[in-house]
Amino acid sequence: MYLRAVVCVLLCVSEVRVQVDGADNKAGSCTDLRQFYTGKGFTLTGVPQTEISGKIFSGRVHFLSYPSSWQGPTCCTRAMEESLAGLSTRETEGLIREAGRSLQSAINALYRSFDTYFTDLHSRSEHSLQEALSPLGPLYTQNIRLYGDLYGDLRRYYRGSALNLDETLSEFWSRLLERAFKSSAPAEASLSEDYLECVAKQQETLRPFGDVPRDLKVKMTRAFVMARSFVQGFTVGGEVVRKVSQVPLSQECVKALMKLVYCPHCRGLASVKPCPNYCSNVMKGCLANQADLDAEWQNLIDTMLQVATSFSTEPSLDVVLSSIPLRIFEAVRYLQDNMDTFTAKVYQTCGTPGESGTGSPTSQEQRKRSNSLTASTEYRPSPTAGLRLEMQVSDLSSKLREMQQYWIQLPAALCIKLAAGGSSQDKCWNGMTKARYLPEVMGDGLANQINNPEVELDITKPDMTIRQQIMQLKIMSNRLRNALDGNDVDFQDASEDISGSGSGMCVGGHCPRSRPGLYPYPPDNRVRATATPQTRLYSLLILLPWATLLLQR
């Protein structure tokens, strides 16, 4: 459970409270409180030497709201209560940010792990091009840049560039067809640019490369769309954690925290820790809006788990990427074996090319060369490739599950340090005295705090920053679900509008290319393309129905 990591963070940070045993204190003396107060960095100006009656703190004098029946002695004035309230708020907000940084660090580690695996897989596939395609002779050596550009475009797409993957693959096959046809044409043929363009247009109708382009497009699109959406899921998740962890605590929460943490010191009960259920109600009230992230956060994690599992579904991610060079070789072999038939049909459509060209190999010479090719067109995965993918998926899945209940576990994690143990239910601070805490523990989320006895909340006014991040999670989950089917749903404009400056998944047609980092994020100095007003308006019109559906959920 990710709670263990959060608890570890809380146990490593500085002490929130200084324990002072008041059992042996001289009755009515505020000596221990004065020592504790100065230890927190405050001056002794206005601090009582001895206890003062709670009666003088009736009405507006007290910072906190106490029942009229409580008139016990105290060592704290209103000014002291305000100072201690500010201190408890800073300490609690610090603990929340530390827990958020811990979660961000874990998300970042998962991002790096998958990114390293995927980019290594991509690089290995690219490096195997020479071995797989060198038997093609000049068709490979004279077109190395064409093959390299394909891998460059795939890499940029994975990094978030606004490329149309379908168009990118179609363009590659068209250019390859032009060059293969040109290399097999008779030496005397004159092939103009217009003529070669006509040849390229026959790709869809005549299928010169057989079924390879269509089959490879389906597999590659699904693999790259899932991989890209997967890393974007980490980026969006980390950004949501960063923003939500910086949401300030409400004024009602500030009062409740002071009463929870430092009122025992004012009452001479410094050694008495808060009751566990009392602490739970305070923290659940303070973090009610954050707990409302739970449903969509778990939905995001569930969808990412589905994507991670699908990486090993046949054809697995490693097989798809590693087999690209040999599938290209297979396609070219098919074209060369059927070049006479294809050429005849091209002549029927595009006409016979003019003569007076310069020397290219003849059709017979090219066919003779193709018959001597010895490269295997069957991909045989490495024995360790499947094991590495299996370990990658297993590690990602187990660590994602540990994060799944973070938002509803956070109140309990904060209370582990503050509250008394389970054996001290009758000897703990209940907000008024040393006794059992009787009210029931509230549920999670804003709606369940309507009867919270410790933190007064208006459940009709949710925190808008957190609501925006809930929408971000919905958008990303929907993107991941579409990725499972190989569909790249573009929410660039919606993401930018909803999240505000600097937090969108995509800006100006490009998505984040760097890994999710610990906040504050460094400035992004990359040059980004800008979309025209017409393009953005068109995208917005497309996205309106999606946004409506998401808001109705």
Side-chain angles (χ1 to χ4, degrees):
M1 301 293 288
Y2 193 76
L3 176 60
R4 297 175 182 173
V6 176
V7 173
C8 180
V9 171
L10 300 180
L11 292 177
C12 291
V13 297
S14 61
E15 287 285 345
V16 174
R17 292 159 51 94
V18 174
Q19 299 300 321
V20 180
D21 190 351
D24 298 327
N25 293 344
K26 184 178 179 181
S29 172
C30 292
T31 301
D32 290 331
L33 183 280
R34 289 167 64 85
Q35 182 180 353
F36 161 79
Y37 196 67
T38 55
K40 289 295 183 178
F42 301 112
T43 67
L44 290 177
T45 303
V47 178
Q49 294 281 356
T50 58
E51 291 178 338
I52 51 182
S53 173
K55 291 182 179 181
I56 69 170
F57 292 108
S58 60
R60 296 188 303 169
V61 180
H62 253 311
F63 172 68
L64 299 178
S65 298
Y66 294 110
S68 58
S69 59
W70 182 61
Q71 300 177 355
T74 179
C75 284
C76 294
T77 64
R78 176 187 172 91
M80 293 173 64
E81 288 180 349
E82 290 177 342
S83 297
L84 291 172
L87 176 63
S88 62
T89 301
R90 291 191 298 273
E91 290 172 336
T92 304
E93 288 179 340
L95 291 176
I96 293 171
R97 286 193 294 270
E98 279 299 317
R101 288 191 185 99
S102 177
L103 179 56
Q104 274 192 288
S105 180
I107 292 173
N108 194 31
L110 293 183
Y111 176 100
R112 288 197 306 268
S113 176
F114 179 79
D115 183 65
T116 299
Y117 169 76
F118 187 83
T119 53
D120 180 63
L121 204 59
H122 184 277
S123 297
R124 287 175 181 269
S125 177
E126 185 175 11
H127 292 158
S128 67
L129 274 170
Q130 182 176 359
E131 179 183 354
L133 302 184
S134 57
L136 297 177
L139 192 54
Y140 169 67
T141 57
Q142 295 175 9
N143 298 290
I144 291 177
R145 183 173 179 179
L146 175 66
Y147 303 111
D149 285 347
L150 172 64
Y151 274 86
D153 286 341
L154 293 174
R155 185 181 295 106
R156 284 190 292 277
Y157 177 83
Y158 166 71
R159 291 296 183 197
S161 180
L163 290 172
N164 185 307
L165 201 52
D166 183 75
E167 291 179 2
T168 297
L169 294 174
S170 295
E171 179 70 12
F172 166 75
W173 291 112
S174 295
R175 300 285 76 82
L176 182 59
L177 177 58
E178 287 181 15
R179 299 177 190 198
F181 185 84
K182 187 175 182 179
S183 69
S184 66
E188 65 275 8
S190 176
L191 304 176
S192 66
E193 290 296 325
D194 289 341
Y195 190 87
L196 289 174
E197 192 69 27
C198 180
V199 173
K201 290 179 180 178
Q202 309 312 308
Q203 181 192 168
E204 288 297 324
T205 55
L206 300 182
R207 296 171 61 191
F209 295 110
D211 293 328
V212 173
R214 293 185 182 184
D215 179 64
L216 196 56
K217 182 178 74 172
V218 170
K219 293 175 180 177
M220 287 177 61
T221 298
R222 185 171 184 269
F224 276 87
V225 168
M226 287 197 304
R228 173 163 120 152
S229 298
F230 194 63
V231 294
Q232 286 176 348
F234 287 125
T235 301
V236 171
E239 182 72 352
V240 167
V241 173
R242 183 185 76 84
K243 282 182 171 291
V244 174
S245 297
Q246 293 179 336
V247 171
L249 299 173
S250 69
Q251 186 63 21
E252 292 302 321
C253 173
V254 169
K255 295 179 180 180
L257 284 173
M258 191 278 166
K259 186 178 176 183
L260 173 78
V261 179
Y262 290 126
C263 265
H265 291 271
C266 296
R267 295 293 310 278
L269 299 172
S271 63
V272 181
K273 285 193 170 186
C275 299
N277 289 352
Y278 171 40
C279 183
S280 292
N281 276 342
V282 171
M283 292 303 176
K284 287 187 178 225
C286 288
L287 301 174
N289 282 281
Q290 287 84 339
D292 280 346
L293 285 159
D294 178 64
E296 288 304 326
W297 179 262
Q298 292 210 41
N299 192 24
L300 175 69
I301 299 296
D302 280 336
T303 314
M304 292 188 73
L305 287 169
Q306 293 177 43
V307 173
T309 302
S310 70
F311 287 142
S312 56
T313 302
E314 293 298 330
S316 61
L317 186 65
D318 60 326
V319 170
V320 172
L321 267 69
S322 301
S323 64
I324 293 174
L326 287 177
R327 295 308 308 277
I328 295 174
F329 177 84
E330 178 187 342
V332 175
R333 279 292 305 270
Y334 182 91
L335 172 64
Q336 292 178 337
D337 290 343
N338 298 276
M339 184 62 78
D340 286 344
T341 302
F342 175 71
T343 301
K345 292 182 179 179
V346 167
Y347 286 173
Q348 291 176 3
T349 304
C350 303
T352 305
E355 298 183 355
S356 75
T358 55
S360 291
T362 65
S363 174
Q364 291 79 8
E365 291 172 339
Q366 196 70 19
R367 195 175 300 107
K368 185 183 296 183
R369 183 180 294 116
S370 72
N371 289 335
S372 66
L373 300 182
T374 57
S376 170
T377 58
E378 180 182 354
Y379 172 70
R380 296 182 178 87
S382 162
T384 60
L387 179 60
R388 185 184 178 194
L389 176 59
E390 182 180 341
M391 292 176 61
Q392 182 74 27
V393 170
S394 176
D395 183 62
L396 286 169
S397 298
S398 63
K399 290 177 179 175
L400 280 170
R401 290 190 184 96
E402 291 176 0
M403 306 173 182
Q404 200 157 13
Q405 295 186 324
Y406 172 81
W407 297 108
I408 57 174
Q409 290 177 342
L410 185 56
L414 294 174
C415 284
I416 286 178
K417 180 66 178 176
L418 294 174
S423 60
S424 304
Q425 293 284 352
D426 294 320
K427 301 178 181 179
C428 53
W429 170 251
N430 65 6
M432 296 302 298
T433 188
K434 181 180 179 181
R436 176 178 288 271
Y437 182 75
L438 299 178
E440 64 177 345
V441 177
M442 299 293 102
D444 299 304
L446 186 60
N448 287 318
Q449 307 310 310
I450 189 170
N451 293 318
N452 192 318
E454 309 306 333
V455 185
E456 184 178 345
L457 293 171
D458 185 348
I459 64 171
T460 66
K461 296 180 179 179
D463 184 272
M464 293 312 299
T465 297
I466 293 178
R467 295 295 141 174
Q468 289 168 352
Q469 299 313 305
I470 290 174
M471 178 60 76
Q472 281 281 60
L473 295 175
K474 286 185 177 182
I475 290 173
M476 193 64 242
S477 296
N478 192 69
R479 190 183 187 94
L480 285 162
R481 279 192 294 271
N482 278 277
L484 287 167
D485 298 323
N487 299 323
D488 187 9
V489 180
D490 189 356
F491 281 110
Q492 295 178 11
D493 289 331
S495 171
E496 185 179 349
D497 293 340
I498 290 169
S499 62
S501 175
S503 66
M505 289 181 292
C506 307
V507 178
H510 288 265
C511 300
R513 300 184 184 181
S514 60
R515 64 178 181 267
L518 300 180
Y519 58 82
Y521 284 98
D524 188 351
N525 296 320
R526 292 185 296 275
V527 177
R528 300 181 184 273
T530 57
T532 64
Q534 292 86 349
T535 302
R536 295 177 65 84
L537 177 59
Y538 179 72
S539 300
L540 182 59
L541 290 175
I542 292 176
L543 290 170
L544 280 174
W546 284 102
T548 302
L549 289 173
L550 288 171
L551 288 170
Q552 290 175 348
R553 287 183 56 184

